Amino acid sequence: LAVSQHRSVHSAIIGNTEISQSSTNDTFTSVNPATNEPVGEVVNCGKVEAEAAVAAALQCFRTFKNSGVAERGRLLTAWAYAIQNNAEVIAELVTKEMGKPKHEALWEVRFATSFLYNYAGQVNTATTGCVINKGQRHWRPITVRQPVGVVATITAWNFPVAMIIRKVGAVIAAGCSVINSPSEDTPLTSLYLAKLGIDVGFPPGLFNVVASSRDQKQPIGELLCGSTDVSALSF
């Protein structure tokens, strides 16, 4: 996915599969705010695609929750390397989609990858339980940290790289799977990050993206907030 190709129609990503046509039978346009020129056409997801994303994420979670911390750390580090290696492309995409100056977009990419390195370094200690001394010989209270389940994330337009990575990276470090509903203003950035994740070995359903126009946000949001298969929401 190169910046020069952004005028083609971009698919949703559900279970590592690119969905080229949605239940809405529609697309929406990412527009350059400086020139009002189209940056790219995106498949317009609806409630059906959100349901499919939840199902894919849940199927992934049933296996990924048992992954070792070394594997999670490896995925996070590999994703960080891939993002850094494509920093120029991502920064140009951010500038075209939301109007941030190129040097600020590059700073955001570097800032965002710092979260991934931090999560990769903390994944061992941050997911370990402990034994608590309560002062009684016959007591042995313990804490056990376990992956919570499928996590839905809704992200805004102003930091389209950093907000997604900060949320998705933490989800992966915790052993969970994730669905992202990005802003209608910056959908291509989220899709690009997800594709880089697939390239470095994300298992199917780990990171799903359901991009949509504003009129589809309510049904998608209601589904993500109301589904019993979604255990946490980050906004």
Side-chain angles (χ1 to χ4, degrees), residues 34-114:
T35 64
N36 288 323
E37 294 179 350
V39 182
E41 291 291 316
V42 185
V43 169
N44 193 12
C45 293
K47 181 179 178 179
V48 171
E49 286 69 43
E51 290 174 336
V54 170
L58 182 60
Q59 182 175 356
C60 176
F61 173 71
R62 288 169 176 155
T63 301
F64 192 69
K65 66 180 180 181
N66 298 317
S67 62
V69 293
E71 173 62 10
R72 298 178 206 168
R74 184 194 68 79
L75 288 175
L76 292 169
T77 302
W79 195 27
Y81 284 155
I83 292 168
Q84 283 187 319
N85 290 337
N86 290 275
E88 287 285 339
V89 176
I90 297 170
E92 184 178 345
L93 181 55
V94 169
T95 297
K96 286 186 173 183
E97 279 205 293
M98 59 80 64
K100 184 173 291 186
K102 180 72 173 293
H103 70 279
E104 290 189 15
L106 281 169
W107 176 88
E108 182 183 343
V109 174
R110 291 192 293 269
F111 175 63
T113 54
S114 71

Side-chain angles (χ1 to χ4, degrees), residues 178-227:
V178 63
I179 302 151
N180 178 233
S181 174
S183 167
E184 67 274 14
D185 295 322
T186 54
L188 300 181
T189 303
S190 180
L191 291 168
Y192 193 94
L193 294 173
K195 289 179 180 180
L196 289 179
I198 293 172
D199 289 345
V200 301
F202 282 13
L206 183 63
F207 182 13
N208 308 273
V209 179
V210 284
S212 70
S213 60
R214 184 167 298 183
D215 65 321
Q216 293 298 323
K217 293 300 181 188
Q218 180 173 343
I220 289 176
E222 289 177 348
L223 186 282
L224 295 178
C225 291
S227 173

